[in-house]
Amino acid sequence: MEGALSHDVFSVVLPTEETYSGAFDYVMDPLDLLQDANNDKYTGYTFDNTSGGSLYFYEFDPTDPKKYKNESRALTVENKSTKDVKLTVKVTASSVDGITMSASNDFNSGADTDTSLYMALVDIASDGTTETPHTFDSAGIAYFTTTLDAIQKGAGGTDPDPYIVQWNPIRDSYEYVWNPASAATNVVDKHSFKLTGKCNPVKTTANAHPSREDWLEALEPGLSPELEIVWTVENPFEVQVTMDNTGLIKITNCDGALWDSFVIADDTGEFPIEGGAGEWTVWDNDPKVEKQFQLSTGWMSYYKGKTATVTVTLTDGTSSSSIVTFPTT
């Protein structure tokens, strides 16, 4: 009898250092010095201020390698796995005295008088045109989570399968391997993301933006928010956790015999989820059974309006995380 063969393939194409290096470097210029001085400081570089935001990300472009514009270049993730994959992208902006983060891209129609920045993490759907901005919360966090569909063979009747069975004489076993003949017809789900931003412009006689003196004072220390961006995908055939904004935590692919712990973390620290934090509404050692845990009303009250991340860890070292922003009411 020929041996059994798993058709589970976890294969995700992530941005490489070559594509993301410097992608989120940015220049703040709320006083429009670059434009006023005809960009004499950075000779040879282009600062495209199409949106009028006076905040520039380094735009790596082989045809124009010295270009900055009001949004970063987009990075793309492709799912070539045989199962749907969850993608989470999270950006954290450090706090800087005198500079606040605004959730409004027009600074509340000019009514915002703070020396503030508008920044958003933009997720771009597989169609390449549908863009959804995610602004930073009060803790300086912007994120999104989305699902990338499993790879599919082309719709044509003769289109080849993405993966095929192959005999490996070295390992003395069958393998499920990539089919080069299918590359042109496979349906591969993709998702991209980028950053965009603006500085709150200096007020004129006709509006109420911050004054030039306000910005000079905020800029004097020479500091700007530092950005940390992390993109994460997890093996869909291993333990997976999701948490919604009602505090319901669902765990799949989890062998109860390997259970170790789970924790929840926010900008103030990390806390173990133990007795009193809630209750298991569904528990079974069988990995095929979805386990469910409901956070208590006390914990939900504490996390009201906060962004938090729950992480499950098993004794075999596998883990999974889920991030959510809880409602303010």
Side-chain angles (χ1 to χ4, degrees):
M1 184 179 70
E2 298 299 324
L5 174 70
S6 173
H7 287 64
D8 296 341
V9 176
F10 173 42
S11 177
V12 178
V13 180
L14 296 171
T16 63
E17 185 174 359
E18 182 180 27
T19 58
Y20 68 70
S21 181
F24 308 111
D25 294 344
Y26 70 95
V27 176
M28 284 176 52
D29 186 25
L31 303 180
D32 281 332
L33 301 180
L34 287 168
Q35 303 293 326
D36 292 346
N38 297 315
N39 191 29
D40 289 339
K41 181 178 179 180
Y42 302 99
T43 303
Y45 283 81
T46 302
F47 289 83
D48 181 355
N49 196 27
T50 303
S51 76
S54 301
L55 189 148
Y56 307 91
F57 291 94
Y58 176 58
E59 179 72 9
F60 177 81
D61 183 345
T63 63
D64 189 1
K66 295 184 176 181
K67 184 177 182 180
Y68 282 77
K69 58 190 296 188
N70 298 135
E71 61 182 27
S72 73
R73 67 178 179 274
L75 304 185
T76 301
V77 176
E78 301 180 16
N79 183 25
K80 295 185 177 180
S81 307
T82 55
K83 191 173 182 179
D84 296 353
V85 167
K86 180 177 69 174
L87 167 68
T88 299
V89 182
K90 177 183 176 183
V91 185
T92 304
S94 65
S95 176
V96 173
D97 289 342
I99 299 178
T100 60
M101 302 298 288
S102 173
S104 170
N105 65 359
D106 65 358
F107 301 97
N108 297 321
S109 300
D112 180 359
T113 59
D114 293 331
T115 47
S116 53
L117 297 179
Y118 165 79
M119 278 194 187
L121 169 63
V122 181
D123 74 84
I124 308 168
S126 57
D127 61 12
T129 58
T130 303
E131 300 187 356
T132 305
H134 304 269
T135 55
F136 289 77
D137 64 12
S138 58
I141 295 173
Y143 74 93
F144 72 86
T145 298
T146 190
T147 299
L148 278 69
D149 294 337
I151 191 171
Q152 302 290 329
K153 65 178 293 184
T158 60
D159 289 343
D161 292 325
Y163 293 93
I164 55 176
V165 177
Q166 175 178 283
W167 172 252
N168 187 328
I170 297 176
R171 295 182 178 178
D172 194 32
S173 65
Y174 289 105
E175 295 178 338
Y176 198 48
V177 298
W178 176 253
N179 182 5
S182 71
T185 56
N186 288 331
V187 180
V188 178
D189 197 6
K190 303 178 182 180
H191 208 91
S192 303
F193 55 92
K194 63 184 178 181
L195 292 179
T196 185
K198 293 181 179 182
C199 296
N200 196 358
V202 173
K203 71 178 179 181
T204 65
T205 55
N207 60 40
H209 291 285
S211 68
R212 185 179 182 87
E213 290 72 21
D214 290 335
W215 266 119
L216 285 171
E217 182 179 351
L219 296 173
E220 186 175 4
L223 301 176
S224 61
E226 294 184 359
L227 304 179
E228 178 186 62
I229 182 164
V230 177
W231 48 95
T232 307
V233 292
E234 298 175 349
N235 191 331
F237 304 103
E238 295 181 350
V239 60
Q240 298 274 285
V241 63
T242 58
M243 177 171 62
D244 64 24
N245 61 13
T246 69
L248 180 62
I249 301 170
K250 298 180 179 180
I251 307 169
T252 57
N253 302 333
C254 176
D255 184 344
L258 297 177
W259 177 260
D260 184 12
S261 62
F262 58 167
V263 298
I264 190 167
D266 61 13
D267 59 311
T268 65
E270 183 178 278
F271 308 97
I273 301 177
E274 300 173 333
E279 64 175 344
W280 289 102
T281 55
V282 178
W283 174 269
D284 193 300
N285 278 350
D286 188 342
K288 297 179 181 179
V289 176
E290 179 184 81
K291 298 156 184 60
Q292 297 186 10
F293 185 92
Q294 177 64 57
L295 289 177
S296 69
T297 55
W299 277 52
M300 287 298 295
S301 177
Y302 171 78
Y303 283 108
K304 189 180 298 182
K306 290 178 174 284
T307 298
T309 301
V310 63
T311 301
V312 166
T313 304
L314 303 185
T315 56
D316 65 359
T318 58
S319 64
S320 177
S321 298
S322 179
I323 184 171
V324 70
T325 299
F326 292 100
T328 56
T329 56

